[in-house]
């Protein structure tokens, strides 16, 4: 009995060792590297071989093996080989459960893939291992905000500020929570703190405008609306940001090109993106970026050539279709632009920019009814998009009122109500909804009537009437 007890640990270790070898082989066999550049394949293959060598050595410690798995996972992650990255991180985490990095990066993958419950759980575990890493609080805060779990979001963002009192992403999150609760003065304070740290985050100006509108300060609301843009704010995340340092080949040129493009050095961007295309001619991303840089450099025909080449490689590429539509619209080739825009919307139904441009191009091609339909969808998305950062209540109200004045249709009046709700003008939204209910009753529109009555309850909410995951009207507008 004693002999068996003494030798049991050795046998157990041997079984774990063999299991690790089997799992390593599985990761390799399921990771398709054929579409990667030769230099990238060589980089990943070398990392795989290093892991295999460690796994074969009985003297390798769990810590060393965990590190090898984690580093391979980071490499996979850097090249967006998500399934392989997840497997590698999981093995690293099993071998070293107290290493913050692997559980956090697993949470990041969950977050990226919309596995919100798993992401929250892993972020919380990572926080216990590394309490000073602010992203473990801001990331779940953003998830809670998206799920409209406002108290949970507030708790996460506040905890982040307890660590870093000037953190712009945490202030922005708290501002969004306060805006949803109609605590406008509090929202303004947080949004101002965000801009003080990141002046270029011009998307914050829209949120500030909504807060000032809620306070009844129309002049300041108008001033901030004039400054709004598409640049947001994100939490500093050295672990994830560091993944970019691992890339080689085409992606290096893409990264350099992006830096040049963002700095408006378009000639330099063209040079770097051309190198990316030369490094990997079948890269859709490289060709789209080159096309964008050529557009800014004034070479429209060259840009069109790159976007068309991207579509030959991958016909369903949304950005190539959209960019072509923009250029073709500029050349008054409206029907061709419309075709490309419809291709975009088949894939991304909520693409607001595509719908805006489609409404314009339909009007330019004298398809007036179809243009009206698209404008209604645009107004709806501006008022109630599930992506709250893309909302613009003021613009939605302008379009919806114009539509209603032209048609007197109850569904267009209902969009007016949604826009008013997004602006925090709850009593006005409720009044509009009641008017549309009366109109629907008069017209015998029973399908719309039920949806309007359900929506009225939200607008009568004394705490917050801001649309959250509204879908009933969408079913009518997007059918």
């Amino acid at each position: 009995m004693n002999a068996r007890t003494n030798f049991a640990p050795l046998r157990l270790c041997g079984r774990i060792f063999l299991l690790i070898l089997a799992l390593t082989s599985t990761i390799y066999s399921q990771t398709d590297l054929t579409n990667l550049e030769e230099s990238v394949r060589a980089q990943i293959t070398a990392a795989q071989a290093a892991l295999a060598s460690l796994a074969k050595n009985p003297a390798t410690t769990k810590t060393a093996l965990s590190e090898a798995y984690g580093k391979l996972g980071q490499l996979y992650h850097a090249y967006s080989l998500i399934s392989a990255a997840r497997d590698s991180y999981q093995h690293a985490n099993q071998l070293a459960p107290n290493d913050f990095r692997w559980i956090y990066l697993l949470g990041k993958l969950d977050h990226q893939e919309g596995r919100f419950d798993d992401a929250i759980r892993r972020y919380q575990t990572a926080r216990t291992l590394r309490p000073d890493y602010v992203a473990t609080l801001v990331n779940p805060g953003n998830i809670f905000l998206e799920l409209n779990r406002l108290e949970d979001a507030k708790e996460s963002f506040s905890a982040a500020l307890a660590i870093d009192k000037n953190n712009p992403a945490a202030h922005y999150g708290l501002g969004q929570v306060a805006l949803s609760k109609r605590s406008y003065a509090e929202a303004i304070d947080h949004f101002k703190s965000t801009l003080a740290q990141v002046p270029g985050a011009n998307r914050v100006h829209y949120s500030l405008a909504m807060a000032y509108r809620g306070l009844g300060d129309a002049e300041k609301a108008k001033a901030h609306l004039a400054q709004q843009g598409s640049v947001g704010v994100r939490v500093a995340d050295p672990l994830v940001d560091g993944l970019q340092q691992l890339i080689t080949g085409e992606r290096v040129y893409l990264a350099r090109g992006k830096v040049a493009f963002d700095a408006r050095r378009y000639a330099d961007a063209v040079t770097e993106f051309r190198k990316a295309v030369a490094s990997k001619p079948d890269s859709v991303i490289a060709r789209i970026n080159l096309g964008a840089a050529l557009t800014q450099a004034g070479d429209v025909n060259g840009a069109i050539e790159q976007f068309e080449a991207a579509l030959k490689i991958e016909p369903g590429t949304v950005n190539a279709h959209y960019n072509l539509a923009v250029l073709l619209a500029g050349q008054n080739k409206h029907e061709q632009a419309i075709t490309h825009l419809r291709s975009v919307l088949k894939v991304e139904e909520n693409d607001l920019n595509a719908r805006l441009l489609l409404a314009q191009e339909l009007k330019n091609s004298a398809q007036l009814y179809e243009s009206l339909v698209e404008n209604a969808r645009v107004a709806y998305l501006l008022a109630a998009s599930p992506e709250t950062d893309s909302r613009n209540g003021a613009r939605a109200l302008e379009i919806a009122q114009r539509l209603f004045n032209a048609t007197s249709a109850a569904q267009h009046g209902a969009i007016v109500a949604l826009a008013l709700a997004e602006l925090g003008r709850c009593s006005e939204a409720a009044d509009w909804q009641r008017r549309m209910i009366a109109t629907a009753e008069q017209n015998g529109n029973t399908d719309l009537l039920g949806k309007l009555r359900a929506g009225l309850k939200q607008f009568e909410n004394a705490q917050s009437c801001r649309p959250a995951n509204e879908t009933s009207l969408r079913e009518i507008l997007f059918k």
Side-chain angles (χ1 to χ4, degrees), residues 289-301:
N289 286 349
L290 176 55
L294 287 167
T295 300
Q296 294 298 329
D299 186 357
V300 173
N301 290 332

Side-chain angles (χ1 to χ4, degrees), residues 22-329:
L23 290 173
T24 304
S25 176
T26 300
I27 292 175
Y28 294 169
S29 65
Q30 293 180 351
T31 306
D32 184 4
L33 307 181
T34 56
N35 291 325
L36 298 175
E37 301 162 75
E38 183 178 349
S39 61
V40 177
R41 288 199 302 272
Q43 183 187 16
I44 294 176
T45 301
Q48 291 173 335
L51 172 59
S53 178
L54 281 173
K56 290 177 182 178
N57 186 350
T60 300
T61 65
K62 284 186 177 182
T63 300
L65 198 56
S66 169
E67 189 72 15
Y69 266 116
K71 294 299 184 183
L72 179 60
Q74 289 177 304
L75 197 56
Y76 286 140
H77 197 165
Y79 289 110
S80 300
L81 299 169
I82 301 303
S83 178
R86 181 180 293 280
D87 285 343
S88 295
Y89 289 152
Q90 285 174 337
H91 296 322
N93 178 241
Q94 288 167 3
L95 290 162
N98 292 324
D99 193 315
F100 155 81
R101 294 171 295 172
W102 317 134
I103 192 68
Y104 176 77
L105 288 169
L106 278 168
K108 194 68 180 179
L109 290 181
D110 291 329
H111 194 165
Q112 291 170 352
E113 295 183 314
R115 302 178 182 183
F116 292 149
D117 289 340
D118 290 335
I120 291 168
R121 174 176 55 80
R122 284 182 165 131
Y123 284 145
Q124 290 172 340
T125 301
R127 180 188 175 191
T128 65
L129 297 171
R130 180 82 182 274
D132 64 330
Y133 201 81
V134 178
T136 63
L137 290 161
V138 174
N139 286 338
N142 288 330
I143 293 174
F144 290 136
L145 193 59
E146 187 171 344
L147 298 176
N148 204 38
R149 293 169 55 178
L150 299 182
E151 290 304 319
D152 290 330
K154 183 176 182 179
E155 181 181 348
S156 284
F157 292 132
S158 297
L161 287 185
I163 300 171
D164 178 7
K165 66 179 181 180
N166 294 320
N167 188 274
H171 274 297
Y172 181 72
L174 283 171
Q176 290 295 343
V177 170
L179 188 61
S180 294
K181 290 185 171 184
R182 299 168 68 187
S183 300
Y184 300 120
E186 180 183 349
I188 288 168
D189 287 342
H190 285 298
F191 292 141
K192 283 184 174 180
S193 295
T194 301
L195 284 174
Q197 299 300 317
V198 191
N202 52 22
R203 187 185 297 168
V204 181
H205 286 291
Y206 171 72
S207 298
L208 262 173
M210 296 303 98
Y212 276 118
R213 190 181 294 276
L215 286 181
D217 193 334
E219 286 302 314
K220 287 186 177 179
K222 182 178 179 180
H224 282 286
L225 279 175
Q227 300 176 69
Q228 68 173 314
S230 60
V231 180
V233 62
R234 61 183 291 274
V235 66
D237 195 344
L239 192 55
V240 172
D241 295 342
L243 296 175
Q244 295 303 307
Q245 303 302 316
L246 302 176
I247 62 176
T248 187
E250 171 215 9
R251 299 198 183 198
V252 171
Y253 301 127
L254 288 175
R256 292 174 183 169
K258 183 179 185 304
V259 170
F261 190 95
D262 291 344
R264 300 185 179 182
R265 293 186 285 106
Y266 299 121
D268 292 339
V270 168
T271 298
E272 294 299 332
F273 290 141
R274 284 198 190 281
K275 291 178 182 177
V277 170
S279 177
K280 190 179 180 186
D282 63 347
S283 171
V284 170
I285 294 174
R287 290 193 178 276
I288 289 175
N289 286 349
L290 176 55
L294 287 167
T295 300
Q296 294 298 329
D299 186 357
V300 173
N301 290 332
I304 289 175
E305 180 181 334
Q306 292 302 320
F307 297 141
E308 289 178 341
L311 289 177
K312 288 180 180 177
I313 298 167
E314 194 173 315
T317 305
V318 167
N319 286 347
H321 279 297
Y322 179 80
N323 291 342
L324 272 172
V326 171
L327 297 181
L328 291 168

Side-chain angles (χ1 to χ4, degrees), residues 300-472:
V300 173
N301 290 332
I304 289 175
E305 180 181 334
Q306 292 302 320
F307 297 141
E308 289 178 341
L311 289 177
K312 288 180 180 177
I313 298 167
E314 194 173 315
T317 305
V318 167
N319 286 347
H321 279 297
Y322 179 80
N323 291 342
L324 272 172
V326 171
L327 297 181
L328 291 168
Q331 296 178 339
N332 294 320
K333 297 177 180 178
H334 305 302
E335 291 297 337
Q336 293 180 48
I338 288 169
T339 298
H340 285 291
L341 290 167
R342 293 202 186 281
S343 294
V344 172
L345 295 170
K346 284 180 182 178
V347 180
E348 295 186 2
E349 190 179 46
N350 291 337
D351 191 316
L352 185 57
N353 289 327
R355 289 206 177 276
L356 278 165
L357 184 56
L358 178 57
Q360 171 188 306
E361 289 302 281
L362 287 167
K363 181 179 178 181
N364 289 337
S365 62
Q367 300 179 55
L368 300 183
Y369 175 77
E370 290 81 0
S371 177
L372 184 148
V373 170
E374 283 305 321
N375 271 304
R377 292 169 175 168
V378 166
Y380 168 86
L381 289 172
L382 287 168
S385 172
E387 300 172 2
T388 54
D389 275 353
S390 67
R391 295 184 185 182
N392 186 329
R395 180 71 173 131
L397 182 60
E398 175 190 342
I399 297 173
Q401 285 181 323
R402 189 168 67 244
L403 287 169
F404 182 75
N405 290 339
T407 67
S408 299
Q411 60 264 38
H412 295 155
I415 303 175
V416 173
L418 276 176
L420 289 167
E422 167 63 14
L423 293 169
R425 295 159 62 177
C426 302
S427 61
E428 294 177 71
D431 287 342
W432 265 90
Q433 195 81 338
R434 293 187 192 99
R435 286 175 56 190
M436 296 309 102
I437 288 172
T439 300
E441 286 176 336
Q442 184 178 356
N443 295 335
N445 192 338
T446 56
D447 183 44
L448 178 61
L449 185 59
K451 301 180 190 304
L452 293 177
R453 285 173 175 164
L456 178 60
K457 295 179 181 179
Q458 176 65 30
F459 299 151
E460 291 175 334
N461 187 336
Q463 186 175 25
S464 174
C465 65
R466 192 181 189 195
N469 300 323
E470 199 284 334
T471 59
S472 59

